[in-house]
Amino acid sequence: MKIVVLDGFTLNPGDLSWQGISKYGDLIVHERTPYNTKDIVKAIGDAEVVYTNKTPLPSEVLKNTSSVKFIGVLATGYNVVDVDVAKEMGIIVTNVPSYSTQSVAQFTMALLLEMCHNVGDHSYAVHNGDWVNAIDFCFWNSPLIELAGKTMGIIGFGSIGQSVAKVAQVFGLNILVHTRTKKPEFETETCRFVELDELFTNSDVISLHCPLFESTQGIINTKNIAKMKDGVKIINTARGGLIVEKDLANALNSGKVSGAAVDVVSAEPMKANNPLLNAKNCIITPHIAWAPKEARTRLLNTTIDNLEAYLEGNPINVVNN
């Protein structure tokens, strides 16, 4: 059996092993594949099993690679694959759910804490000689913020949103949640499910953990920002398309939003003309919340489990049933 990985570098830049997959067939790992039909079809060749992280597999690719029987998405989101066409062609498509829950929750809080304390900037100032030359025993270059007693609004309450809520409550934050499906078992004195407008109105910080659907596209926009508290902070570790980036940049530059931290943007890799690049008080990281080795190891292990289950005739984590 021929197995092809189209973009293996992101998942495994060299610190993991492909052996769990290669034992099942003749494995070819492409570190990257250009995002065009000709190169993708060529990379797939006559493989039966294809793995992709972000390399697109639209209908024109699938219809030109008739050997493919199984597609493993090396991520939770699977919008890079035309799953309807795959189903029509009898191709099984699987994903890897929940592998990064703890990593993304941890990263979300890291972004929030950085906005509250500007640890990196203060460390830079010290190394630049500012403390050595200070006349006082300490200094701070920006306001320092205590989280206890403040309110975090969480939009989306899957496994990551739930984990963020748990950690945030340890810091003393009150939680407001907006989600399609309420989960009464999570409601406490410090965690309530509310409508979106109430969340916007009452949150000191808003963290996005929802999927990118038509209903959530551009949910952070000028109209909704106007409903928020002056000085609100916004975190996005979900999908870049949840934010109208020009609107957020304007709100940051005006001071309506006092800080933002995003790990995702609308087009990745980021474009040089993205308005957030020049916005005030905006932390931008290169889509790495999911990427600790521990999380990538879980992803790869589940990928192997998915392949084993397919070969045994009982596929799991199928997204196009």
Side-chain angles (χ1 to χ4, degrees):
M1 183 173 65
K2 293 186 178 180
I3 306 169
V4 168
V5 179
L6 292 173
D7 48 6
F9 183 82
T10 302
L11 168 61
N12 180 15
D15 55 352
L16 302 177
S17 171
W18 295 108
Q19 186 176 358
I21 294 176
S22 64
K23 68 181 181 181
Y24 289 105
D26 182 10
L27 175 65
I28 297 175
V29 178
H30 300 281
E31 290 194 348
R32 301 169 185 85
T33 300
Y35 289 3
N36 64 76
T37 299
K38 181 181 178 180
D39 285 318
I40 297 170
V41 170
K42 181 180 178 181
I44 292 172
D46 59 352
E48 176 182 336
V49 174
V50 175
Y51 288 103
T52 180
N53 189 316
K54 294 295 181 292
T55 303
L57 296 175
S59 60
E60 56 266 29
V61 169
L62 299 178
K63 290 178 180 179
N64 284 281
T65 51
S66 58
S67 62
V68 176
K69 303 300 179 186
F70 175 92
I71 295 172
V73 180
L74 302 172
T76 300
Y78 49 88
N79 57 302
V80 296
V81 181
D82 190 327
V83 292
D84 294 329
V85 170
K87 184 176 181 179
E88 291 172 6
M89 296 178 65
I91 301 171
I92 291 172
V93 182
T94 66
N95 73 336
V96 183
S98 302
Y99 72 92
S100 64
T101 297
Q102 298 304 321
S103 293
V104 178
Q106 175 179 305
F107 197 83
T108 298
M109 296 308 296
L111 293 175
L112 177 57
L113 293 172
E114 178 62 18
M115 285 194 289
C116 289
H117 298 288
N118 290 299
V119 172
D121 286 344
H122 283 97
S123 178
Y124 176 81
V126 170
H127 284 282
N128 198 43
D130 291 14
W131 202 10
V132 172
N133 297 315
I135 59 174
D136 300 308
F137 82 95
C138 73
F139 68 91
W140 54 92
N141 293 332
S142 57
L144 306 177
I145 299 169
E146 184 177 283
L147 291 172
K150 291 183 172 60
T151 298
M152 171 182 273
I154 296 177
I155 301 177
F157 208 58
S159 60
I160 295 174
Q162 293 168 26
S163 293
V164 170
K166 290 177 181 177
V167 177
Q169 288 176 90
V170 173
F171 281 89
L173 283 156
N174 297 305
I175 308 298
L176 299 178
V177 178
H178 177 76
T179 184
R180 291 179 301 170
T181 305
K182 294 182 179 180
K183 298 177 173 65
E185 64 272 23
F186 283 89
E187 288 203 297
T188 65
E189 291 183 0
T190 58
C191 183
R192 296 191 297 116
F193 290 85
V194 298
E195 296 302 317
L196 197 55
D197 280 357
E198 183 176 348
L199 184 148
F200 285 145
T201 301
N202 294 299
S203 296
D204 298 294
V205 57
I206 295 172
S207 193
L208 304 178
H209 300 287
C210 54
L212 181 60
F213 295 139
E214 185 176 347
S215 59
T216 58
Q217 178 84 36
I219 197 170
I220 303 300
N221 54 50
T222 296
K223 180 180 178 181
N224 287 333
I225 290 172
K227 301 172 185 177
M228 300 176 191
K229 289 183 177 182
D230 291 345
V232 66
K233 297 183 185 299
I234 296 173
I235 301 170
N236 187 11
T237 54
R239 289 290 180 266
L242 299 171
I243 293 176
V244 180
E245 290 164 337
K246 182 178 179 180
D247 292 356
L248 177 57
N250 289 338
L252 284 163
N253 291 333
S254 72
K256 171 66 177 181
V257 176
S258 66
V262 300
D263 186 50
V264 289
V265 292
S266 57
E268 298 173 349
M270 193 176 201
K271 306 302 182 186
N273 63 351
N274 189 301
L276 294 179
L277 275 174
N278 296 311
K280 296 178 181 178
N281 302 317
C282 188
I283 297 170
I284 306 171
T285 51
H287 204 147
I288 55 172
W290 69 280
K293 185 177 181 180
E294 295 84 352
R296 289 184 290 109
T297 299
R298 286 192 293 271
L299 192 163
L300 186 55
N301 288 341
T302 301
T303 295
I304 296 167
D305 292 343
N306 288 349
L307 180 58
E308 290 177 346
Y310 160 71
L311 294 174
E312 292 169 358
N314 297 297
I316 57 175
N317 295 318
V318 178
V319 298
N320 66 334
N321 286 325

